[in-house]
Amino acid sequence: MTNESTMNKLIEMRFTAMADALRIQLSDNALNHMSFEERLGLLVDIEYTSRKNNKFHRLIRLAKFDQPHASISDVNYTSNRMLNKAQIQKLSTCEYIYDTHNIIIMGATGAGKSYLACALGMEACKRFYSVKYIRLPELLAELAIARGEGNYKKIFNQYKKAQLLILDEWMLVSLTENEARDVLEIVHARHKKTSTIFCSQFSPAGWHKKIGEATLADAILDRIVHDSYNIEIHNKIGKDDHSMR
């Protein structure tokens, strides 16, 4: 079997990184001193790393982050923001996802809620959790359209199954009864099975009024607040502060 045939078979099996690495090994006499096991190990490491990187970037693409360059390392902890660094660092380990807990991020417009949520979402992608980011108004509109087109269950399941769902602009505007029922279905389906980050200008006490119907509001809050970590950001980012948008 020729080397070219071997590389073609590797490519056909989609071991492209390994094929490229083998081609480099065959042309580099400096590697001749290495044993077969060592050279094979290098090839496997390169293919493994390539696949992990590809999966990571695919997860980021599928998440559709509002701020895909958000980073936990760039979070602003200046004293007037009153952020608990230890808490955020702990949440960045993604243990809350393993434990199927939620996060509620509260703050005024421009405080950096979306940035922090996306940064936590990026940490989840690094650990190969599936993530989806969406604004609540967009989600409700998407579900309404799906219902009319007869594919509601398919769209619903995408948000049900994501291991981390980031819902931005949570309870920004009041819900209709149908929208409140859709929200209840989402949070009920995910309750104690997956994790959700809620970004809101209001504390949970203010959600009740936005939901409207008291029974639905109680049911929604009951499935969220008892299993959630709370983060409150106390001031807006200044125009010259780019560390947490």
Side-chain angles (χ1 to χ4, degrees), residues 161-205:
K161 293 179 179 179
Q163 291 169 295
L164 175 62
L165 175 62
I166 300 173
L167 290 176
D168 208 347
E169 297 185 5
W170 175 257
M171 299 301 162
L172 182 63
V173 297
S174 298
L175 306 182
T176 66
E177 184 173 339
N178 284 339
E179 288 174 338
R181 292 186 184 280
D182 281 342
V183 168
L184 175 58
E185 288 301 313
I186 289 284
V187 298
H188 176 74
R190 298 180 57 79
H191 184 51
K192 296 188 181 298
K193 298 182 180 70
T194 50
S195 297
T196 307
I197 297 178
F198 303 91
C199 300
S200 181
Q201 293 187 32
F202 311 98
S203 68

Side-chain angles (χ1 to χ4, degrees), residues 126-139:
K126 290 177 184 177
R127 290 159 178 78
F128 304 107
Y129 288 111
S130 60
V131 182
K132 288 190 74 69
Y133 168 96
I134 192 168
R135 297 167 52 249
L136 180 60
E138 290 179 348
L139 172 59

Side-chain angles (χ1 to χ4, degrees), residues 23-47:
R23 186 177 287 108
I24 292 171
Q25 279 198 12
L26 293 172
S27 63
D28 188 355
N29 293 330
L31 299 177
N32 289 342
H33 71 282
M34 297 178 66
S35 67
F36 170 79
E37 290 82 2
E38 289 172 328
R39 294 178 69 161
L40 177 61
L42 285 177
L43 295 176
V44 172
D45 285 346
I46 289 171
E47 181 65 33

Side-chain angles (χ1 to χ4, degrees), residues 65 110 216 233:
F65 291 118
L216 291 174
I233 306 174

